[in-house]
Amino acid sequence: MELSEFDYDLPKELIAQEPTKERDASRLLVLDRAKEGISHHEFPDILSYLQPEDVLILNDTRVLPARIRLYRETGAKIDALLVRNLEGNTWSALLDTPRKLKIGEDLRVGEEALTKIIKREKEHWVLEFDQPVGPLMNKLGKMPLPPYIRREAEQKDLDRYQTVYAKNEGAIAAPTAGLHFTKEILDKVPCPIKTLTLHVGIGTFKPVKCEKVEDHVMHSEWYEIPPDTIEAIEKATRTVVVGTTTCRALETWRQKGSASGWSDIFLYPPYQFRVVDALITNFHLPKSTLLMLISALAGKERVFEAYQEAIERKYRFFSYGDAMFIT
């Protein structure tokens, strides 16, 4: 398939720059594959689409405040995104600077910490910190908002760019379909709720540049699925998943036969899903792997029809935007 097949025109004003005042105040577009229909709701209405025989699967990864500022000896600023902990105090990072950096150079972190540039691996830099990074991020870090949110991360994002059920630290992007859920809605869900963990990585924002979709290579992300989640899936009549990250973890498990490991699965039409029956998701970027995933689940023509209707009705798009239920 050609990459251009997954392109669409989106007015910039529909890209959500702020979260809604309340988590569950977003809208919900329902795409019913059986009835081939589209309907429009408010997010709390999702409860009416869940049945006692279902199982609802959440990704409980927790986003790290992984965007920090580093300083050279000259005082020049470097914006860093800590991508992955390699071992101990050594991290892989993306560094944003117009100036040439040197291997072995020391960079200052705040007033009391240093990090050394160890090496470069393609677009990533390997940094070794002189103390544990967790406390540094908690003190100095900001939430790694995606690039289409054109503002600096604020204090409110520490809460709102995190699901209410976030538990296991390790992500550098939120599983945004889960941002709509409140504890009150979760308490009213009529079916069992189970969790898994997939630490969302930089691949979420990596654009597809290959003209042939099949040539794209995904970044790998760590996932782990507890035994009780697998047991609940085997018993359920229907598996409803929250977010494309949850979807990829489950389909990786079914393909590889392993409940934990690295997922680099790329789902695009005409993939046949083996676990996922229904999906709660947000609206995704043009030409993105996430748009390709939902096109595999619901059919590209139906997805683009739903997106066009969402644009006409001025839904809010992307991370802080509205929700979609493919059932």
Side-chain angles (χ1 to χ4, degrees):
M1 289 178 296
E2 300 290 336
L3 179 60
S4 59
E5 295 181 50
F6 293 92
D7 197 10
Y8 67 92
D9 293 323
L10 178 69
K12 291 183 178 179
E13 62 269 19
L14 298 186
I15 301 174
Q17 299 296 311
E18 303 282 347
T20 53
K21 187 174 181 180
E22 303 295 335
R23 279 186 182 269
D24 60 357
S26 54
R27 297 160 75 185
L28 177 70
L29 183 150
V30 176
L31 174 57
D32 191 320
R33 291 179 290 163
K35 298 178 181 177
E36 296 190 354
I38 298 170
S39 56
H40 304 276
H41 310 265
E42 302 300 321
F43 187 77
D45 295 337
I46 192 66
L47 293 170
S48 66
Y49 286 92
L50 300 174
Q51 304 299 321
E53 301 81 15
D54 296 337
V55 62
L56 184 69
I57 312 292
L58 314 173
N59 181 5
D60 67 5
T61 188
R62 189 170 185 83
V63 184
L64 297 166
R67 196 173 291 281
I68 64 172
R69 179 159 287 172
L70 310 176
Y71 297 88
R72 307 185 80 174
E73 285 187 359
T74 61
K77 300 174 183 178
I78 299 173
D79 288 321
L81 176 63
L82 303 184
V83 173
R84 182 180 293 174
N85 181 219
L86 301 177
E87 60 177 359
N89 297 334
T90 303
W91 284 71
S92 174
L94 295 175
L95 303 182
D96 183 11
T97 175
R99 299 172 178 83
K100 188 174 182 179
L101 299 173
K102 301 174 183 177
I103 305 302
E105 182 176 358
D106 285 328
L107 303 173
R108 183 164 51 82
V109 191
E111 297 298 328
E112 64 283 328
L114 291 173
T115 185
K116 183 184 293 291
I117 299 176
I118 302 300
K119 60 181 177 179
R120 185 169 188 175
E121 298 177 339
K122 297 182 180 179
E123 73 268 32
H124 293 83
W125 297 83
V126 176
L127 305 178
E128 185 176 0
F129 291 80
D130 65 354
Q131 55 187 274
V133 175
L136 288 175
M137 280 196 285
N138 290 332
K139 181 178 179 181
L140 303 172
K142 291 185 176 181
M143 278 305 212
L145 297 181
Y148 47 75
I149 295 181
R150 301 189 179 280
R151 62 174 176 82
E152 289 289 321
E154 303 171 21
Q155 185 68 27
K156 66 185 176 188
D157 297 304
L158 290 172
D159 172 59
R160 294 302 302 277
Y161 195 64
Q162 196 87 266
T163 63
V164 297
Y165 48 80
K167 179 181 177 183
N168 295 309
E169 287 190 339
I172 60 167
T176 55
L179 298 181
H180 309 283
F181 282 91
T182 62
K183 292 180 179 178
E184 290 74 19
I185 288 179
L186 290 171
D187 285 343
K188 295 177 182 177
V189 169
C191 62
I193 300 174
K194 297 296 179 180
T195 62
L196 57 76
T197 304
L198 182 140
H199 292 315
V200 192
I202 198 66
T204 292
F205 305 126
K206 183 183 179 183
V208 178
K209 297 181 179 179
C210 309
E211 285 305 316
K212 296 293 184 184
V213 166
E214 297 88 342
D215 294 337
H216 178 71
V217 177
M218 296 284 286
H219 279 259
S220 59
E221 298 166 314
W222 177 259
Y223 75 96
E224 188 166 2
I225 307 172
D228 67 314
T229 297
I230 293 174
E231 182 180 350
I233 291 170
E234 302 294 359
K235 290 180 178 179
T237 300
R238 184 176 67 154
T239 299
V240 181
V241 303
V242 179
T244 56
T245 61
T246 311
C247 179
R248 284 189 287 114
L250 291 174
E251 293 298 317
T252 300
W253 156 62
R254 187 67 90 196
Q255 279 195 19
K256 292 186 175 181
S258 176
S260 65
W262 293 96
S263 172
D264 59 359
I265 191 171
F266 180 20
L267 306 178
Y268 55 87
Y271 179 82
Q272 295 295 315
F273 286 80
R274 305 180 186 183
V275 183
V276 176
D277 298 306
L279 172 67
I280 299 168
T281 187
N282 280 16
F283 292 91
H284 303 296
L285 278 73
K287 299 182 179 180
S288 65
T289 60
L290 307 183
L291 182 57
M292 294 170 193
L293 184 155
I294 65 167
S295 295
L297 182 64
K300 186 165 73 72
E301 289 185 5
R302 280 185 288 189
V303 165
F304 274 72
E305 179 186 347
Y307 269 49
Q308 186 57 44
E309 194 161 320
I311 291 170
E312 291 170 358
R313 290 174 176 257
K314 299 189 183 304
Y315 274 68
R316 303 167 75 247
F317 277 61
F318 307 160
S319 293
Y320 275 146
D322 293 316
M324 180 179 186
F325 183 43
I326 301 172
T327 183

